[in-house]
Amino acid sequence: MADSQQISTGAKTGAHADLAVNMLHSPKERAVEYALGFCALVSVLTTLGIAAVLLVESLHFFAEVSIVEFLTETRWTPQFIDKHFGIWPLLSGTLLVTVIAALVALPIGLMSAIFIAEYAPERVRKVLKPGLELLAGIPTVVYGYFALTFVTPLLQTFVPGLNIYNALSAGIVVGVMIIPMVSSLSEDAIRAVPRSLAEGAYALGATRIEVVLRVMVPGAVSGIVASFILALSRAIGETMIVTLAAGAMPNLTANPAESVQTMTAFIVNVSLGDTPQGTVEFYSLFAVGLVLFLMTLSMNFLANLIIRRYRERY
Amino acid sequence: METNERNGSSPAGQGASEGAKVRVENLDFWYGANHVLKDVSLDIRANEVTAFIGPSGCGKSTLLRCLNRMNELIPDTRLEGRVLIDGRDIYRNADPVMVRRRIGMVFQKPNPFPKTIFENVIWGARVNGYKGDEADLVETCLRKAALWEEVKDRLHAQAYGLSGGQQQRLCIARTLAVAPDVVLMDEPASALDPIATAKLEETILQLKERYTIIIVTHNMQQAGRISDRTAFFYMGELIEADATEQLFTRPSRKRTEDYITGRFG
């Protein structure tokens, strides 16, 4: 009894003394704070650094090639004697592949998201969702090889005159690659719509498809659109599949059967080649990279804007 | 259990001989292995307010949700027995969608759609193929739900801008637009303040002229104020169902008496 009395009094006096110590500013707390802050800073600084390098190196390029030529010229021939630096062939290649990928991924991704969220029984959902997400784990080089050696020969059997390197095959496979992104994010958005809204709709005598199309999807529209945009910006930046399967011919065309070169594929080809540093071809890499960076950056901004603007509040 | 006997407090002309609007026969219900309704038989008369009371988990909300087949939206449930509306079985050879169009439901928490007031009211009518004058229907339903005067100048404003009580009356208007005979209400006032509750109760009393209303409530004073008949549930069983006045003043079962006098629950 007496002992415990003493201990508790001792603890009390100790506690009084400790009040003066500022734990938040102890060296250990500070060290942790700085370490965490440093890690957070690394990624921000890296992004800023990359943007700065792209910008500075692009200035070298634009010192030799006018920005007017870059934006109006329709040929991209940096490795020819007669050099032309018009971004359009590369841009059209990228857009063509992206549009094809979107046509594949958006409907399939959204519909599978709806199926998983509203129709699939729990058992099926448990298999289907990880299965779809597994698609996202396949290395892109495997997709590229698959496009070149399987999809293209398959397409050639019913698309006459299909080039061995073509935008169609690459676009389809890029589309398959981004399906999980669309379906997974859209499904999360659909499931986030409160169950009470669906119940209210069912209680009004709505059928399942009416509940899905008139309550769940409208309620999730901001998340769904954001998933579309994020998936598309992934498609724009996709490199390996298009390098392997779409070709290396900058080609201003809207014909998916032709060979095209995307911005990313151009960067790969020139980086791998023996382009001497300091030449205009070398600097063109950074200009193309800058365009690519601006495109994906603005799509991410757009996605954020849409998430905020069109969120249905419940 | 005899729940069908004639009694003095029911409105003129209503009696057992006319048959029940809704009849529950030997209903058993399971969530997984959990037996939540045990051999419940009950008749509900047309144009009356019937209240289901009982402690939490007694099965009163489950029974309510069995009456418009909402429970089958939950996986792993099982039902035995029969539920009849106007003598017609709602589980055999019946489509749940058609059942829910005749038996509407208002939920515990107001759940308007994230749309305008107008769109909320017309939503159910539209999915049910309503082809008449929409503005007319919206006005009629909002009037019946006693909300018209408060919202007539802002029909195209977002429903979420309304107060909780207004949202709940909007949900009632939305249900009425589908033209049901029976309206189920699952503790409709539990999220509302006393003034909004009084307003809602007034609305319910007006509605019983045209609709049969079944209301689940935790609040015995509320059951006393608005219901013609009351059914008391305990542990998944229907203990007693009678005219409200009778049940509250001279309950025939000890368990009912204990509950209404506040000895448990």
Side-chain angles (χ1 to χ4, degrees):
Chain A
M1 245 337 237
D3 271 354
S4 74
Q5 194 80 33
Q6 244 170 8
I7 287 166
S8 74
T9 348
K12 249 181 212 159
T13 354
H16 280 298
D18 283 344
L19 279 180
V21 179
N22 193 335
M23 294 298 284
L24 290 177
H25 285 87
S26 72
K28 192 176 127 202
E29 287 289 323
R30 280 189 173 189
V32 169
E33 188 180 329
Y34 289 146
L36 295 176
F38 175 75
C39 292
L41 215 56
V42 165
S43 63
V44 175
L45 288 179
T46 310
T47 312
L48 288 179
I50 290 173
V53 169
L54 280 178
L55 209 61
V56 168
E57 300 288 323
S58 297
L59 287 178
H60 289 293
F61 174 78
F62 288 116
E64 294 192 39
V65 178
S66 80
I67 198 148
V68 178
E69 186 194 340
F70 187 67
L71 293 178
T72 54
E73 172 64 58
T74 56
R75 281 165 295 172
W76 180 266
T77 54
Q79 280 139 315
F80 292 5
I81 305 289
D82 179 25
K83 294 185 196 309
H84 291 282
F85 293 98
I87 190 70
W88 289 106
L90 295 182
L91 201 58
S92 76
T94 293
L95 291 179
L96 187 58
V97 169
T98 304
V99 166
I100 295 167
L103 291 176
V104 171
L106 305 192
I108 294 180
L110 179 58
M111 286 192 266
S112 54
I114 291 173
F115 178 77
I116 295 172
E118 271 304 303
Y119 284 84
E122 193 57 27
R123 272 178 305 120
V124 177
R125 204 177 85 83
K126 272 190 181 145
V127 179
L128 211 55
K129 201 172 183 203
L132 256 175
E133 277 161 7
L134 215 60
L135 271 182
I138 298 174
T140 53
V141 66
V142 174
Y143 275 119
Y145 199 68
F146 172 72
L148 184 62
T149 61
F150 178 76
V151 178
T152 299
L154 187 73
L155 289 172
Q156 276 172 329
T157 58
F158 46 90
V159 182
L162 188 70
N163 201 302
I164 182 81
Y165 296 108
N166 64 82
L168 183 62
S169 169
I172 290 172
V173 175
V174 171
V176 170
M177 182 195 76
I178 61 176
I179 285 174
M181 223 173 152
V182 176
S183 70
S184 188
L185 293 174
S186 295
E187 199 238 299
D188 289 345
I190 291 171
R191 288 179 81 81
V193 176
R195 202 63 218 158
S196 63
L197 290 185
E199 287 209 321
Y202 278 117
L204 290 169
T207 60
R208 205 174 216 183
I209 190 70
E210 285 163 347
V211 174
V212 167
L213 293 183
R214 301 195 192 192
V215 176
M216 307 303 276
V217 171
V221 77
S222 67
I224 291 171
V225 172
S227 84
F228 286 179
I229 293 176
L230 290 177
L232 288 186
S233 83
R234 179 91 171 73
I236 289 172
E238 167 47 36
T239 306
M240 213 59 207
I241 299 171
V242 288
T243 305
L244 286 171
M249 258 276 292
N251 188 357
L252 184 56
T253 178
N255 180 359
E258 282 183 41
S259 168
V260 296
Q261 188 172 41
T262 65
M263 293 189 282
T264 50
F266 167 76
I267 294 173
V268 170
N269 284 341
V270 174
S271 309
L272 292 178
D274 41 15
T275 314
Q277 282 207 14
T279 60
V280 67
E281 302 95 281
F282 176 77
Y283 287 126
S284 76
L285 283 183
F286 295 97
V288 173
L290 185 66
V291 172
L292 199 59
F293 179 72
L294 289 176
M295 274 177 82
T296 49
L297 190 71
S298 52
M299 293 202 65
N300 281 321
F301 266 123
L302 191 65
N304 277 326
L305 202 71
I306 287 173
I307 288 172
R308 259 179 278 147
R309 178 74 53 85
Y310 295 101
R311 181 182 298 150
E312 277 198 336
R313 291 176 199 285
Y314 23 73
Chain B
M1 180 163 309
E2 182 54 59
T3 56
N4 209 9
E5 86 271 35
R6 186 183 288 270
N7 67 74
S9 71
S10 68
Q14 293 290 328
S17 57
E18 285 186 23
K21 182 73 187 174
V22 178
R23 166 167 284 177
V24 179
E25 284 180 1
N26 307 107
L27 194 75
D28 280 89
F29 191 83
W30 290 263
Y31 288 117
N34 198 359
H35 194 178
V36 290
L37 285 178
K38 295 166 190 160
D39 194 30
V40 172
S41 294
L42 177 67
D43 277 2
I44 286 148
R45 297 177 188 178
N47 300 93
E48 284 192 1
V49 176
T50 302
F52 289 177
I53 61 167
S56 296
C58 68
K60 56 191 191 298
S61 286
T62 303
L63 177 61
L64 195 76
R65 294 167 66 93
C66 285
L67 302 183
N68 69 340
R69 299 185 62 170
M70 286 301 283
N71 274 331
E72 58 201 79
L73 297 173
I74 303 165
D76 199 23
T77 56
R78 191 158 65 87
L79 176 140
E80 276 174 21
R82 300 208 299 166
V83 177
L84 307 154
I85 173 165
D86 292 328
R88 173 86 167 76
D89 194 326
I90 65 165
Y91 280 92
R92 282 160 200 86
N93 291 321
D95 186 316
V97 171
M98 300 314 288
V99 168
R100 292 178 198 133
R101 288 176 189 182
R102 284 196 62 188
I103 308 177
M105 185 166 197
V106 176
F107 295 83
Q108 188 168 353
K109 204 173 142 250
N111 59 348
F113 300 124
K115 300 177 193 294
T116 65
I117 294 167
F118 187 93
E119 292 287 325
N120 261 282
V121 178
I122 205 68
W123 198 92
R126 274 191 194 148
V127 303
N128 288 298
Y130 179 76
K131 291 281 180 284
D133 184 342
E134 296 196 339
D136 213 41
L137 181 69
V138 168
E139 182 177 342
T140 310
C141 294
L142 285 171
R143 279 188 192 282
K144 283 186 195 166
L147 189 60
W148 174 253
E149 291 302 325
E150 291 160 59
V151 301
K152 63 182 177 189
D153 298 324
R154 46 170 174 154
L155 291 177
H156 297 284
Q158 284 297 313
Y160 286 4
L162 298 175
S163 71
Q166 290 173 324
Q167 287 188 15
Q168 197 60 299
R169 279 179 281 138
L170 178 65
C171 291
I172 293 176
R174 176 176 84 172
T175 303
L176 301 181
V178 182
D181 312 340
V182 180
V183 179
L184 310 175
M185 298 189 179
D186 188 1
E187 298 185 40
S190 65
L192 306 184
D193 64 64
I195 294 167
T197 301
K199 184 103 190 159
L200 184 81
E201 290 178 3
E202 201 182 301
T203 309
I204 291 170
L205 286 173
Q206 282 166 16
L207 289 174
K208 81 173 183 181
E209 283 177 33
R210 299 176 196 224
Y211 303 92
T212 302
I213 293 169
I214 306 172
I215 181 169
V216 164
T217 179
H218 258 119
N219 182 330
M220 279 179 285
Q221 284 77 25
Q222 183 171 64
R225 284 191 299 265
I226 62 174
S227 71
D228 300 295
R229 296 175 66 80
T230 298
F232 170 64
F233 294 84
Y234 183 70
M235 306 271 284
E237 287 179 58
L238 174 64
I239 304 297
E240 185 171 356
D242 210 333
T244 300
E245 207 191 325
Q246 180 81 18
L247 188 126
F248 277 105
T249 52
R250 292 180 299 279
S252 58
R253 295 294 204 91
K254 179 77 169 63
R255 183 82 72 188
T256 315
E257 192 183 335
D258 287 350
Y259 183 69
I260 60 177
T261 55
R263 237 164 274 165
F264 80 100

